[in-house]
PDB file of all heavy atoms in Angstrom:
ATOM      1  N   GLN A  31       0.579 -20.493   8.102  1.00  0.00           N
ATOM      2  CA  GLN A  31       0.527 -19.069   7.858  1.00  0.00           C
ATOM      3  C   GLN A  31      -0.917 -18.554   8.045  1.00  0.00           C
ATOM      4  O   GLN A  31      -1.127 -17.513   8.641  1.00  0.00           O
ATOM      5  CB  GLN A  31       0.991 -18.841   6.397  1.00  0.00           C
ATOM      6  CG  GLN A  31       1.197 -17.340   6.059  1.00  0.00           C
ATOM      7  CD  GLN A  31       1.712 -17.166   4.653  1.00  0.00           C
ATOM      8  OE1 GLN A  31       1.630 -18.061   3.801  1.00  0.00           O
ATOM      9  NE2 GLN A  31       2.237 -15.960   4.381  1.00  0.00           N
ATOM     10  N   ASP A  35      -3.747 -16.267  12.112  1.00  0.00           N
ATOM     11  CA  ASP A  35      -4.904 -15.419  12.333  1.00  0.00           C
ATOM     12  C   ASP A  35      -5.770 -15.917  13.482  1.00  0.00           C
ATOM     13  O   ASP A  35      -6.417 -15.083  14.162  1.00  0.00           O
ATOM     14  CB  ASP A  35      -5.788 -15.340  11.096  1.00  0.00           C
ATOM     15  CG  ASP A  35      -5.133 -14.561   9.976  1.00  0.00           C
ATOM     16  OD1 ASP A  35      -4.159 -13.840  10.244  1.00  0.00           O
ATOM     17  OD2 ASP A  35      -5.587 -14.683   8.817  1.00  0.00           O
ATOM     18  N   ILE A 287     -12.826 -14.971  -0.565  1.00  0.00           N
ATOM     19  CA  ILE A 287     -12.984 -14.349   0.810  1.00  0.00           C
ATOM     20  C   ILE A 287     -12.297 -15.271   1.833  1.00  0.00           C
ATOM     21  O   ILE A 287     -11.528 -14.791   2.629  1.00  0.00           O
ATOM     22  CB  ILE A 287     -14.500 -14.238   1.134  1.00  0.00           C
ATOM     23  CG1 ILE A 287     -15.107 -13.165   0.269  1.00  0.00           C
ATOM     24  CG2 ILE A 287     -14.713 -13.945   2.588  1.00  0.00           C
ATOM     25  CD1 ILE A 287     -14.886 -11.732   0.698  1.00  0.00           C
ATOM     26  N   HIS A 342       0.942 -11.826  -6.805  1.00  0.00           N
ATOM     27  CA  HIS A 342       1.401 -12.282  -5.481  1.00  0.00           C
ATOM     28  C   HIS A 342       2.351 -13.428  -5.635  1.00  0.00           C
ATOM     29  O   HIS A 342       2.012 -14.456  -6.208  1.00  0.00           O
ATOM     30  CB  HIS A 342       0.241 -12.739  -4.646  1.00  0.00           C
ATOM     31  CG  HIS A 342      -0.708 -11.697  -4.256  1.00  0.00           C
ATOM     32  ND1 HIS A 342      -0.582 -10.994  -3.096  1.00  0.00           N
ATOM     33  CD2 HIS A 342      -1.783 -11.208  -4.889  1.00  0.00           C
ATOM     34  CE1 HIS A 342      -1.558 -10.086  -3.073  1.00  0.00           C
ATOM     35  NE2 HIS A 342      -2.275 -10.192  -4.115  1.00  0.00           N
ATOM     36  N   LEU A 345       6.974 -17.980  -2.173  1.00  0.00           N
ATOM     37  CA  LEU A 345       8.111 -18.880  -2.176  1.00  0.00           C
ATOM     38  C   LEU A 345       7.997 -19.857  -0.988  1.00  0.00           C
ATOM     39  O   LEU A 345       7.625 -19.430   0.100  1.00  0.00           O
ATOM     40  CB  LEU A 345       9.441 -18.082  -2.103  1.00  0.00           C
ATOM     41  CG  LEU A 345       9.583 -16.993  -3.161  1.00  0.00           C
ATOM     42  CD1 LEU A 345      10.907 -16.239  -2.971  1.00  0.00           C
ATOM     43  CD2 LEU A 345       9.455 -17.530  -4.565  1.00  0.00           C
TER      44      LEU A 345
ATOM     45  N   GLN B  38       4.097 -12.718   9.187  1.00  0.00           N
ATOM     46  CA  GLN B  38       3.156 -13.579   8.457  1.00  0.00           C
ATOM     47  C   GLN B  38       3.192 -13.250   6.956  1.00  0.00           C
ATOM     48  O   GLN B  38       3.173 -14.185   6.138  1.00  0.00           O
ATOM     49  CB  GLN B  38       1.739 -13.274   9.070  1.00  0.00           C
ATOM     50  CG  GLN B  38       0.668 -14.255   8.591  1.00  0.00           C
ATOM     51  CD  GLN B  38      -0.706 -13.948   9.189  1.00  0.00           C
ATOM     52  OE1 GLN B  38      -0.892 -12.862   9.767  1.00  0.00           O
ATOM     53  NE2 GLN B  38      -1.592 -14.918   9.090  1.00  0.00           N
ATOM     54  N   ASP B  42       5.704 -15.363   2.615  1.00  0.00           N
ATOM     55  CA  ASP B  42       5.585 -15.449   1.129  1.00  0.00           C
ATOM     56  C   ASP B  42       6.865 -15.215   0.436  1.00  0.00           C
ATOM     57  O   ASP B  42       7.069 -15.767  -0.645  1.00  0.00           O
ATOM     58  CB  ASP B  42       4.515 -14.416   0.664  1.00  0.00           C
ATOM     59  CG  ASP B  42       3.134 -14.775   1.062  1.00  0.00           C
ATOM     60  OD1 ASP B  42       2.882 -15.884   1.424  1.00  0.00           O
ATOM     61  OD2 ASP B  42       2.271 -13.859   0.952  1.00  0.00           O
ATOM     62  N   ILE B 294      -4.787  -5.258  -3.082  1.00  0.00           N
ATOM     63  CA  ILE B 294      -3.952  -6.261  -3.792  1.00  0.00           C
ATOM     64  C   ILE B 294      -2.658  -6.507  -2.995  1.00  0.00           C
ATOM     65  O   ILE B 294      -2.326  -7.612  -2.696  1.00  0.00           O
ATOM     66  CB  ILE B 294      -3.601  -5.751  -5.228  1.00  0.00           C
ATOM     67  CG1 ILE B 294      -4.876  -5.715  -6.088  1.00  0.00           C
ATOM     68  CG2 ILE B 294      -2.473  -6.559  -5.823  1.00  0.00           C
ATOM     69  CD1 ILE B 294      -5.245  -7.095  -6.651  1.00  0.00           C
ATOM     70  N   HIS B 349     -13.060 -11.547   8.295  1.00  0.00           N
ATOM     71  CA  HIS B 349     -11.769 -12.166   8.630  1.00  0.00           C
ATOM     72  C   HIS B 349     -11.428 -11.824  10.082  1.00  0.00           C
ATOM     73  O   HIS B 349     -11.295 -10.612  10.373  1.00  0.00           O
ATOM     74  CB  HIS B 349     -10.662 -11.616   7.698  1.00  0.00           C
ATOM     75  CG  HIS B 349     -10.813 -12.071   6.307  1.00  0.00           C
ATOM     76  ND1 HIS B 349     -10.238 -13.208   5.810  1.00  0.00           N
ATOM     77  CD2 HIS B 349     -11.512 -11.529   5.301  1.00  0.00           C
ATOM     78  CE1 HIS B 349     -10.578 -13.349   4.566  1.00  0.00           C
ATOM     79  NE2 HIS B 349     -11.327 -12.330   4.191  1.00  0.00           N
ATOM     80  N   LEU B 352      -6.490 -12.774  15.427  1.00  0.00           N
ATOM     81  CA  LEU B 352      -6.188 -12.716  16.860  1.00  0.00           C
ATOM     82  C   LEU B 352      -4.660 -12.611  17.000  1.00  0.00           C
ATOM     83  O   LEU B 352      -3.894 -13.227  16.301  1.00  0.00           O
ATOM     84  CB  LEU B 352      -6.666 -14.005  17.564  1.00  0.00           C
ATOM     85  CG  LEU B 352      -8.175 -14.344  17.402  1.00  0.00           C
ATOM     86  CD1 LEU B 352      -8.507 -15.639  18.079  1.00  0.00           C
ATOM     87  CD2 LEU B 352      -9.059 -13.211  17.878  1.00  0.00           C
TER      88      LEU B 352
END
Side-chain angles (χ1 to χ4, degrees):
Chain A
Q31 191 178 15
D35 290 345
I287 291 280
H342 293 269
L345 306 180
Chain B
Q38 191 178 14
D42 290 344
I294 291 281
H349 293 269
L352 305 180

